[in-house]
Amino acid sequence: MSGFSAEWLALREPADHAARNRDLLAATAAAVADRQPVHVLDLGCGTGANLRATAPQLGPEQHWRLVDHDALLLAKAREELRCWADATFAEDTGGLVLSAAGRRIGVSFIAHDLSGGIGPLLAAPTDLVTAAALFDLVSAAWIETFVQAVAAARLPFYTALTYDGRESWEPPHPADEAVHGAFLAHQQRDKGFGPAAGPRATGLLADGFRGAGYTVSEAASPWRLTERERALVVMLADGTAAAVGETGQVAADRLAAWHAARAQASRCLVGHADLLAVPTSGDQ
């Protein structure tokens, strides 16, 4: 899977937290309210942002397993979580026990390449499977296998901030349409899981879980970036221009003009979707 820098993840975390759909997050907490402690499996965890956003909504006793292929990001997650918590009760090479938001949260860190699936990860106690900003990067075939694994265990599933393909920048630029089309083409390249599902990912997840007898809820969670998020806007423009440049679909001078304009954009909307899938009543 293609890596992401800790700098990028740090810049996007406040925007991610602001964008999450609060109703769907509350519904996720309700789905596991009877689990004490609640055991959470967090896939593609990066630096732990999904835990920081979700854990304050869950019960008083939690244990999270943070999974990522990148050992450096796992080390950064440990560091960031220690800074985020009110206190650290215990720490060893395997994990942490934290006090945060009135919760006692155990955390373990697992280096694992998700391209081979999640089957082995479900052998440990699990009450909720979750991820953030992951599923647009994986393939349709991987999503199908993932849904089968989660559904076989009849586990609730919550994911946030899956890219949905919508973007708008202000003020408009003549190259917006061409650049966006090229970016979508690039986004569907293989990220280590086969051709990426890109904006189709949330629909594939929803169809798969509904077909497995789950109740599925979806909600929009767009970034709405302004001058306050200038550093993120600049990095987003940089990343988009680099990806589009790799496709060769937009002339270099036209792309350079777009890049320069977009680094100074006054507003930017990037569409995402959140999804919660819960086994039918009495089936968990």
Side-chain angles (χ1 to χ4, degrees):
M1 178 177 174
S2 298
F4 294 94
S5 72
E7 180 186 6
W8 165 252
L9 296 176
L11 273 178
R12 69 171 291 168
E13 184 168 346
D16 285 344
H17 285 354
R20 282 179 188 252
N21 183 274
R22 295 296 182 257
D23 291 340
L24 213 59
L25 186 52
T28 299
V32 294
D34 62 340
R35 310 298 175 90
Q36 288 300 313
V38 59
H39 293 84
V40 184
L41 176 63
D42 185 13
L43 305 174
C45 67
T47 62
N50 193 30
L51 184 157
R52 290 188 286 275
T54 307
Q57 310 304 317
L58 304 183
E61 293 284 340
Q62 304 174 29
H63 185 82
W64 287 68
R65 286 182 292 144
L66 302 190
V67 180
D68 204 285
H69 76 295
D70 189 331
L72 292 178
L73 287 182
L74 288 173
K76 185 65 173 176
R78 177 188 289 269
E79 175 186 333
E80 292 289 334
L81 288 170
R82 291 181 76 253
C83 293
W84 168 77
D86 300 318
T88 302
F89 292 139
E91 179 173 5
D92 57 31
T93 56
L96 302 171
V97 179
L98 306 172
S99 173
R103 276 82 174 160
R104 183 181 178 92
I105 305 170
V107 187
S108 56
F109 302 89
I110 302 170
H112 178 79
D113 183 354
L114 291 171
S115 64
I118 69 164
L121 299 170
L122 296 179
T126 308
D127 301 306
L128 174 67
V129 179
T130 186
L134 172 66
F135 287 90
D136 48 283
L137 304 175
V138 306
S139 66
W142 193 92
I143 288 174
E144 181 178 4
T145 301
F146 168 81
V147 170
Q148 290 171 353
V150 174
R154 307 313 289 172
L155 294 171
F157 166 66
Y158 166 63
T159 189
L161 301 154
T162 303
Y163 181 62
D164 69 7
R166 295 181 299 130
E167 287 191 22
S168 64
W169 299 75
E170 295 180 17
H173 188 277
D176 280 344
E177 184 175 351
V179 169
H180 187 53
F183 177 76
L184 290 178
H186 184 278
Q187 210 227 3
Q188 294 173 57
R189 292 183 175 184
D190 190 339
K191 307 296 193 300
F193 297 80
R200 298 183 298 131
T202 297
L204 292 169
L205 287 165
D207 290 346
F209 278 107
R210 287 191 180 107
Y214 276 57
T215 299
V216 176
S217 302
E218 302 172 65
S221 54
W223 282 353
R224 301 183 187 275
L225 309 180
T226 67
E227 182 62 39
R228 292 189 302 272
E229 294 83 24
R230 172 59 54 200
L232 179 58
V233 169
V234 169
M235 190 169 281
L236 180 62
D238 291 349
T240 300
V244 171
E246 291 178 8
T247 71
Q249 294 183 17
V250 179
D253 57 347
R254 192 180 187 200
L255 180 58
W258 179 93
H259 184 194
R262 286 299 162 241
Q264 298 300 319
S266 59
R267 293 182 181 275
C268 176
L269 182 146
V270 180
H272 302 105
D274 298 354
L275 179 145
L276 172 64
V278 181
T280 53
S281 181
D283 203 18
Q284 294 185 54

